[in-house]
Amino acid sequence: MPDLHFTPGPTALYFTVEEHIKNALKQGITSTSHRGQVFKDIYKECANNLKLLMEIPDDYHVLITSSANEAWERIILNCVEHDSYHLSMGAFSSRFFKIADDLQRNASSLIVEDGTVPELGQIKPSTSDELITICLNESGTGAHIPLETIYELREKFPDKLIAVDGVSAVPVYPIDFSKIDTLYFSVQKAFGLPAGLGIWIVNNRCVEKAEQLAAKGKVIGSYHKLPEMVEKAAQFQTTETPNILGIYLLSKVAEDMLTKGITAIRREIDYKSAIMNMAIDEHPNLRHFVKEDKWRSKTVKVAETDFSSKKLIQYLAEKKMNIGTGYGQYKDSQVRMANFPTHSKEQVEMLVDTIAKFKP
Amino acid sequence: MPDLHFTPGPTALYFTVEEHIKNALKQGITSTSHRGQVFKDIYKECANNLKLLMEIPDDYHVLITSSANEAWERIILNCVEHDSYHLSMGAFSSRFFKIADDLQRNASSLIVEDGTVPELGQIKPSTSDELITICLNESGTGAHIPLETIYELREKFPDKLIAVDGVSAVPVYPIDFSKIDTLYFSVQKAFGLPAGLGIWIVNNRCVEKAEQLAAKGKVIGSYHKLPEMVEKAAQFQTTETPNILGIYLLSKVAEDMLTKGITAIRREIDYKSAIMNMAIDEHPNLRHFVKEDKWRSKTVKVAETDFSSKKLIQYLAEKKMNIGTGYGQYKDSQVRMANFPTHSKEQVEMLVDTIAKFKP
């Protein structure tokens, strides 16, 4: 049996990726010019498949970045003139604040305790805040902001732009794009692809904001200025030579997910999530780090261990199942396990059965 | 026979890449955490192999970017406070000027005619210029700046930083790094790798400059600030989840090139360059776009056609040999052909023999 990766990202490849890589090599995808029709068709198919799979409205643009980190930088440069407001609920979500601060925006942050998420009443951006940033799934703690909170924010603050970090959450959680302005993700988590590619989805409010900033003489970037990216994307082109293989693979995996059906994928995620939750609940030495059930991510499970988490990690590794350590300060006191579309029911059943037998 | 790609990039994969991809998949490289030892070892091996292959001094840092475009932006943000000076000799080299201008630096440019390169006497940066940028190989025109010009610039302007675009030139041209401050390249040209990865090599003068700018309160970036990149690279780490597969493949190809020997590779390049030059010289309907022999790139050959260049491209494509169109305005009146380490002598002999038989 080859090693199974339940790590929260990079993680196991989606089960069809290896075959798609072979086909890409056979077809010479890696040697094709990014200015030619073959590439344009790949980008177009990728954008279309993502739009179908994630129900992205037609007037949203699907742009190519190198990572979610890059999307953070591009969103601040293009969508914030002075003030931004960031919901921080762990290591990953709080980095957006850091990026805005690095770029010398007047950034403020609502920081909630690790393992919890901000509740609507706590979220109080000032009048001048132009952007609210939200991480759907904090991969560091396994906490998930209910989509309703985001939609209620839109109702409450219709004039502010809303940016959503979809890393490790999409395409599993169904998002109503009409209630957010931009969403970005990197592909090495729930899409199960090799790292090195980010997708940045924006609406025209973001583009208009960038145009306003540019008209005012603000720096909005260089090779990746939002209005130019959108203009190029309309021709299925990018400024730089992009990760062509990655875009091809994302397109194919999105197609495979469409063939399987997003409803079936979500049903499986729910089942696997339930048995993983149970495994944590029932083990005498494990506890959910996220105490509130409604805040627990379906896709990233974080358990506190009353022993050095290395022991469980090693025990599983000997059985060829890889799970993640806790993040940052929790490295030794927690484990993190992914429940992504590529993880089959059988694999997760084996994982939870094996965990049940573990004694520290 | 599979299609041969003599396109100037993306181009044919280095002939060992497919095997390395298979091994990477077998070893689970794409699922490994970028925070773990396996990744650190990959990055370390990649940096060490590049240092050996390209004779990069020990105190230069090998950093990971997503593309050469990104390197342009990072160099301006981190190494230029006010003024920069750019040698422009075609579409690619002139973009560095554009990037500096976008980032609101006071950028000036020496623009020479397409197909020529700047000569030492023409290069007159002002006293205030902090950076001189040079493209070793202009992939748009096939023109190459002699290394001596660069080294003489260093003598003449020891206080200015010198940035070299190595795309399509490295590792073929041997560069004396002690005479430049930074060099960057993307991997889809002379290294024959899938696109989506850039390498940015910097010395400590660049890092000190970035630190000075930061101390003065200038924005030097966010997740990819040079001093932090260098600090992380010392631990063989990156801020973002990088293109792990790309870094692994670059490491392996650099290793293969070391095994073959860079001298042997350069000897082959010289032979293939000579027969490609001859093919252009001897064909009644082709002419070198770069008139001066000493300015002709060894790795990117650009020929003017006295007919629509599509005809030659199509004629070769029917024989499963792909060459590039002219760049930009020269699309229909020129062809571009790569001579990279992956192109074997036999392949190039077949190409030139086939071109010799072509009648428009």
Side-chain angles (χ1 to χ4, degrees), chain A residues 127-255:
Chain A
T127 320
S128 62
D129 284 324
E130 300 147 64
L131 173 77
I132 304 174
T133 76
I134 304 160
C135 181
L136 211 47
N137 238 16
E138 167 55 57
S139 311
T141 67
H144 168 76
I145 286 200
L147 287 164
E148 297 68 42
T149 305
I150 299 174
Y151 301 157
E152 283 163 358
L153 277 178
R154 166 61 101 208
E155 294 282 312
K156 243 175 125 171
F157 306 106
D159 294 338
K160 299 187 192 306
L161 294 174
I162 293 183
V164 174
D165 184 333
V167 177
S168 86
V170 291
V172 172
Y173 285 93
I175 292 157
D176 181 347
F177 276 84
S178 74
K179 290 174 175 157
I180 64 170
D181 298 290
T182 176
L183 180 143
Y184 55 90
F185 62 92
S186 48
V187 301
Q188 73 275 11
K189 301 208 179 216
F191 276 96
L193 287 164
L197 179 66
I199 295 294
W200 180 23
I201 299 156
V202 295
N203 68 7
N204 288 320
R205 284 178 56 170
C206 296
V207 185
E208 284 152 20
K209 177 83 185 199
E211 282 164 351
Q212 286 162 21
L213 298 192
K216 283 183 181 179
K218 294 281 282 186
V219 170
I220 59 169
S222 63
Y223 68 107
H224 269 180
K225 291 191 286 286
L226 179 53
E228 277 183 25
M229 291 176 83
V230 166
E231 205 178 302
K232 285 212 165 268
Q235 313 295 325
F236 303 105
Q237 286 283 275
T238 57
T239 307
E240 80 290 1
T241 315
N243 184 340
I244 302 173
L245 179 62
I247 299 167
Y248 171 85
L249 296 175
L250 176 58
S251 172
K252 291 300 168 193
V253 164
E255 189 180 307

Side-chain angles (χ1 to χ4, degrees), chain B residues 65-86:
Chain B
T65 68
S66 52
S67 62
N69 273 268
E70 190 190 344
W72 287 331
E73 182 168 290
R74 301 299 167 206
I75 290 170
I76 297 299
L77 287 173
N78 286 277
C79 300
V80 179
E81 185 176 3
H82 301 295
D83 301 340
S84 59
Y85 183 77
H86 306 271

Side-chain angles (χ1 to χ4, degrees), chain B residues 38-302:
Chain B
V38 174
F39 172 71
K40 287 182 195 174
D41 291 343
I42 290 170
Y43 185 175
K44 186 176 179 177
E45 192 180 85
C46 181
N48 288 345
N49 287 347
L50 289 177
K51 281 188 167 184
L52 277 171
L53 184 70
M54 295 166 63
E55 296 191 64
I56 304 166
D58 271 350
D59 56 349
Y60 280 57
H61 312 281
V62 178
L63 308 177
I64 307 295
T65 68
S66 52
S67 62
N69 273 268
E70 190 190 344
W72 287 331
E73 182 168 290
R74 301 299 167 206
I75 290 170
I76 297 299
L77 287 173
N78 286 277
C79 300
V80 179
E81 185 176 3
H82 301 295
D83 301 340
S84 59
Y85 183 77
H86 306 271
L87 306 191
S88 300
M89 49 196 238
F92 288 91
S93 49
S94 59
R95 281 203 202 132
F96 210 155
F97 164 80
K98 177 73 172 54
I99 297 265
D101 188 58
D102 279 343
L103 297 170
Q104 299 185 359
R105 264 52 170 189
N106 177 26
S108 54
S109 185
L110 167 64
I111 304 169
V112 299
E113 207 182 327
D114 285 356
T116 74
V117 312
E119 294 196 81
L120 191 65
Q122 297 175 278
I123 304 172
K124 293 172 181 162
S126 23
T127 320
S128 61
D129 284 325
E130 301 149 63
L131 173 77
I132 303 174
T133 76
I134 304 159
C135 181
L136 210 47
N137 237 17
E138 167 56 57
S139 312
T141 67
H144 167 76
I145 286 201
L147 288 164
E148 297 67 43
T149 306
I150 300 173
Y151 303 157
E152 284 163 357
L153 278 178
R154 164 62 99 210
E155 293 283 312
K156 243 176 126 171
F157 306 105
D159 294 338
K160 300 189 191 306
L161 294 174
I162 293 183
V164 174
D165 184 331
V167 177
S168 86
V170 293
V172 171
Y173 286 92
I175 293 157
D176 182 348
F177 276 83
S178 73
K179 291 175 177 156
I180 65 170
D181 299 289
T182 178
L183 181 144
Y184 54 90
F185 61 93
S186 48
V187 300
Q188 73 273 11
K189 300 208 179 216
F191 276 98
L193 288 163
L197 178 67
I199 295 292
W200 181 23
I201 299 157
V202 295
N203 69 6
N204 288 321
R205 283 177 54 166
C206 296
V207 185
E208 283 152 21
K209 178 83 185 198
E211 283 164 352
Q212 285 162 20
L213 297 192
K216 284 182 179 179
K218 293 281 283 186
V219 169
I220 59 169
S222 63
Y223 69 106
H224 269 181
K225 290 191 288 283
L226 178 54
E228 278 184 23
M229 290 177 84
V230 166
E231 205 178 302
K232 285 213 165 262
Q235 313 294 325
F236 302 104
Q237 286 283 277
T238 57
T239 306
E240 79 290 1
T241 315
N243 183 341
I244 302 173
L245 178 62
I247 299 166
Y248 171 85
L249 296 176
L250 177 57
S251 172
K252 292 299 168 195
V253 164
E255 188 181 306
D256 295 335
M257 289 181 173
L258 282 165
T259 305
K260 176 160 184 173
I262 193 68
T263 315
I265 289 172
R266 287 173 181 156
R267 207 165 34 222
E268 281 186 18
I269 291 277
D270 285 343
Y271 166 76
K272 294 181 293 167
S273 173
I275 62 172
M276 288 170 98
N277 282 345
M278 217 184 322
I280 296 170
D281 279 330
E282 291 179 354
H283 197 287
N285 305 99
L286 299 177
R287 281 183 317 280
H288 280 287
F289 183 45
V290 179
K291 304 302 170 205
E292 292 277 353
D293 187 51
K294 64 179 178 192
W295 293 341
R296 277 178 205 154
S297 165
K298 291 178 185 178
T299 52
V300 179
K301 303 291 177 189
V302 178

Side-chain angles (χ1 to χ4, degrees), chain A residues 279-318:
Chain A
I280 297 169
D281 279 330
E282 291 180 353
H283 198 286
N285 304 98
L286 299 177
R287 280 183 319 278
H288 279 288
F289 182 47
V290 178
K291 302 304 170 205
E292 293 277 354
D293 187 50
K294 64 179 174 191
W295 293 342
R296 278 178 204 152
S297 165
K298 291 178 184 178
T299 51
V300 180
K301 303 291 178 188
V302 179
E304 295 177 305
T305 57
D306 66 8
F307 51 91
S308 166
S309 64
K310 269 195 218 87
K311 286 186 192 172
L312 175 55
I313 292 166
Q314 193 137 12
Y315 162 85
L316 291 168
E318 281 160 14

Side-chain angles (χ1 to χ4, degrees), chain A residues 268-280:
Chain A
E268 279 187 20
I269 291 278
D270 285 343
Y271 166 75
K272 295 180 294 167
S273 173
I275 63 173
M276 289 170 98
N277 282 345
M278 218 184 321
I280 297 169

